[in-house]
Amino acid sequence: MRRLALFLLPCAVAVLVHLWLAQRPSFSFFFTPLENNTRSDEPLPFFEVLVGVLSARHHHDLRQAIRDTWLGYIRDHPHFQHRVAVKFIVGRHGCPIPDEDREDPYSCSLLNFSEPVMGQDTEMEIVTVADPSLLVPSDVSAIALDFKVLHPVVITKLGVFSSGTRPELHSNVTVKLLQLDQEEAVVTARFSSISMGTMVNWVWYKPVEQFILPKGFEGTLVWENQDSAPLTTVNSSSVELNDGGGILKISSIAEGVLPHRSALGFPGLAGGFTFTIYDEDGLSGLLRGRAARMETHASSLRREDATLQEESLRHGDVVFVDVVDTYRNVPSKLLQFYKWSVGNSEFNLLLKTDDDCYIDVDSVLMKIDHKDLKRRNFCFRQSWAVDRIGKWQELEYASPAYPAFACGSGYVVSRDLVQWLASNAEKLKAYQGEDVSMGIWMAAVGPQKYQDAGWLCEKECYLDMLSSPQHTAKELRVLWDRKRTCGDPCGCPWDR
């Protein structure tokens, strides 16, 4: 009965999340449809430069640091206060899933452990072949299966399919388990007609050295044929892969799926592996405590909503856009702000930055005046490699490198580009980050560009920098105080 309760718990949690979203106050003052925000008989406010600052919901200290430094300077400056407007871009919704129950820190996907198979050292096969007639020869020499670990596991054996309907092996096959984007295998097994191992359900297995694969491990299993004989594979629609009840997230091997640009083999299955769940007590505790965590997290989000409401009413500089505020949703967050901006203000240029960035307001506006920027955006990274794993993982952009894209710490775009982005927001595909997404979107337009090294891409400090990212609230205040005191944000002479 206790085991049944654990199995049913994720379903109950899903219902709770649905009810929580349905009953949660809408805070309509956070975000109003564009068509209701403006009135035809009232002109829109005009600013030469509209500044949009991407900000996470819980970054209250960073927003206040900006208000106390460069935003406060703009607000109090007799000329700049009419020339520049600054808005913080914040997601209307917090993720209703606690951190411990998400697939990763960057999205809002529930760890959906539906029926985890637990028991002392219970060994699971990722694939079971009941009928050997399902096995067919492949026409490729390397096959790969990508997967992600959502709770720690131990790989115990690697395996290769039998050669057809007879319990034999006619080829020399090497099976490797690798971490994605790593060349050295974690474990390897070699099979041949004279060293086949042990057969289970038409898969020849060999034991391997056992390593704990931690949560978040992204790996690939590669079968390589070492001679002219074909690998044996199976029709993906005829077998069901065993993910351990949600412990593993296995990439699609459906017919028609093309290999990833850096894949070591064609997507498919030429054998299997066996694994056990590590730390079953920890997994049981995670599942038992989920309902209580969900309730506590929902209360925390309600308090966060109230705090954001108060902040918005006090300062009037926050635009809430209708997205769940996670890293993976930042491109959509930016597009929603572009839609808001063209519907609620008139401006010549839009400067986008982040809430951890120092901005030299005087120098930025002087550059704009000096270059007479009207239709340009500027500061770009060139030939930046596409990451396959981690925070910046991108699996759907086919090229090995991104087109030129602006560093997220700061770039300027003209109103006509913002208008194009806003008009096409529902059609534009969001990639892993807003900076690379912007570069891909702009590649379709081919805007005139102006490159300026003053927009720093990393946490550095130079006398003539226009922006610098990745700072704490305290560091932002120190940089600004130095700039106002002696003209050098990196340090005054008496500080050295």
Side-chain angles (χ1 to χ4, degrees):
M1 190 68 181
R2 185 176 179 184
R3 179 67 53 80
L4 179 61
L6 286 178
F7 291 169
L8 294 177
L9 183 57
C11 300
V13 169
V15 172
L16 286 174
V17 172
H18 176 77
L19 291 175
W20 178 82
L21 287 172
Q23 296 176 5
R24 190 179 178 201
S26 65
F27 295 112
S28 59
F29 54 87
F30 277 7
F31 181 90
T32 308
L34 296 181
E35 58 269 21
N36 295 331
N37 262 8
T38 59
R39 293 173 54 184
S40 58
D41 56 344
E42 293 182 2
L44 295 175
F46 173 78
F47 301 96
E48 183 177 341
V49 181
L50 175 63
V51 182
V53 184
L54 281 172
S55 183
R57 286 166 59 90
H58 62 285
H59 285 183
H60 307 282
D61 291 346
L62 285 170
R63 289 192 291 273
Q64 193 55 47
I66 289 177
R67 294 186 184 106
D68 294 341
T69 56
W70 58 267
L71 171 52
Y73 176 69
I74 292 172
R75 183 185 58 232
D76 298 334
H77 196 284
H79 179 50
F80 292 167
Q81 63 181 255
H82 305 294
R83 185 181 178 187
V84 182
V86 181
K87 297 293 182 181
F88 293 100
I89 313 164
V90 177
R92 179 181 178 186
H93 308 290
C95 176
I97 303 171
D99 292 346
E100 303 94 318
D101 298 289
R102 301 185 198 180
E103 284 191 7
D104 58 61
Y106 317 117
S107 62
C108 189
S109 300
L110 179 69
L111 275 172
N112 190 21
F113 297 142
S114 54
E115 295 183 5
V117 179
M118 290 184 284
Q120 188 65 33
D121 296 326
T122 301
E123 195 173 58
M124 288 165 278
E125 304 166 52
I126 192 175
V127 62
T128 300
V129 178
D131 182 357
S133 65
L134 300 175
L135 300 175
V136 294
S138 170
D139 56 0
V140 295
S141 60
I143 292 177
L145 177 72
D146 293 347
F147 66 95
K148 183 176 181 179
V149 177
L150 302 182
H151 179 84
V153 299
V154 177
I155 304 296
T156 55
K157 299 185 184 76
L158 300 183
V160 60
F161 286 139
S162 174
S163 299
T165 58
R166 296 176 62 86
E168 300 172 350
L169 195 59
H170 297 155
S171 58
N172 297 315
V173 179
T174 299
V175 187
K176 298 178 182 179
L177 171 64
L178 302 97
Q179 185 171 353
L180 287 180
D181 282 359
Q182 297 293 318
E183 294 183 1
E184 185 175 350
V186 178
V187 290
T188 302
R190 292 177 173 83
F191 298 84
S192 68
S193 59
I194 60 173
S195 178
M196 295 181 288
T198 303
M199 174 176 280
V200 179
N201 295 317
W202 298 96
V203 180
W204 290 104
Y205 286 108
K206 283 189 176 182
V208 293
E209 186 176 359
Q210 297 183 10
F211 293 95
I212 299 170
L213 303 185
K215 178 184 176 181
F217 178 89
E218 297 180 67
T220 184
L221 197 65
V222 181
W223 294 268
E224 294 178 321
N225 197 341
Q226 303 301 316
D227 50 35
S228 58
L231 285 169
T232 301
T233 187
V234 64
N235 188 326
S236 60
S237 62
S238 62
V239 295
E240 184 174 349
L241 298 183
N242 177 13
D243 61 8
I247 299 300
L248 301 177
K249 187 174 184 178
I250 303 170
S251 297
S252 174
I253 56 171
E255 186 176 354
V257 174
L258 296 176
H260 190 268
R261 63 188 170 275
S262 56
L264 299 177
F266 203 86
L269 203 63
F273 62 85
T274 62
F275 64 98
T276 61
I277 296 175
Y278 180 77
D279 188 17
E280 293 180 352
D281 291 340
L283 178 57
S284 298
L286 180 72
L287 293 175
R288 283 196 305 270
R290 179 172 282 181
R293 285 195 305 276
M294 296 291 289
E295 184 176 347
T296 300
H297 186 66
S299 298
S300 176
L301 285 182
R302 287 192 290 270
R303 291 193 298 272
E304 185 176 69
D305 284 340
T307 301
L308 286 168
Q309 173 187 356
E310 181 183 356
E311 179 184 355
S312 176
L313 292 174
R314 184 189 313 123
H315 297 287
D317 56 8
V318 181
V319 174
F320 292 88
V321 293
D322 197 17
V323 299
V324 175
D325 209 354
T326 64
Y327 177 77
R328 291 283 181 250
N329 286 340
V330 169
S332 299
K333 188 175 173 180
L334 185 64
L335 286 174
Q336 291 299 315
F337 175 70
Y338 287 157
K339 291 175 65 176
W340 179 92
S341 66
V342 298
N344 290 270
S345 61
E346 295 287 349
F347 57 91
N348 290 335
L349 299 169
L350 188 148
L351 188 160
K352 177 269 161 187
T353 187
D354 294 335
D355 61 10
D356 61 356
C357 293
Y358 162 86
I359 299 291
D360 186 338
V361 175
D362 291 310
S363 296
V364 168
L365 293 177
M366 183 174 64
K367 289 269 187 179
I368 289 174
D369 291 340
H370 178 68
K371 294 294 181 181
D372 190 27
L373 298 177
K374 300 299 180 186
R375 296 177 54 83
R376 308 179 183 186
N377 64 19
F378 50 102
C379 190
F380 294 86
R381 274 178 163 153
Q382 307 281 346
S383 302
W384 196 262
V386 178
D387 285 333
R388 191 179 176 191
I389 63 173
K391 180 178 180 179
W392 299 288
Q393 180 187 62
E394 177 55 63
L395 298 178
E396 298 188 41
Y397 187 68
S399 173
Y402 293 112
F405 65 90
C407 298
S409 67
Y411 55 82
V412 176
V413 292
S414 57
R415 182 184 173 88
D416 56 347
L417 291 178
V418 176
Q419 180 69 61
W420 182 85
L421 290 162
S423 300
N424 293 280
E426 308 307 321
K427 304 172 186 176
L428 294 172
K429 178 175 177 54
Y431 293 91
Q432 57 84 10
E434 57 86 14
D435 48 1
V436 300
S437 294
M438 189 72 173
I440 295 169
W441 299 335
M442 288 292 93
V445 180
Q448 191 176 14
K449 302 172 185 176
Y450 171 67
Q451 176 85 7
D452 194 315
W455 301 91
L456 302 185
C457 297
E458 304 294 340
K459 186 177 181 179
E460 301 175 287
C461 193
Y462 298 100
L463 174 63
D464 59 349
M465 65 184 181
L466 300 176
S467 70
S468 178
Q470 302 169 16
H471 293 287
T472 65
K474 180 179 179 180
E475 289 169 342
L476 288 174
R477 288 187 170 90
V478 170
L479 289 168
W480 185 256
D481 288 345
R482 289 172 177 166
K483 177 68 176 179
R484 305 313 303 163
T485 301
C486 66
D488 186 352
C490 305
C492 296
W494 50 85
D495 292 334
R496 296 166 187 162

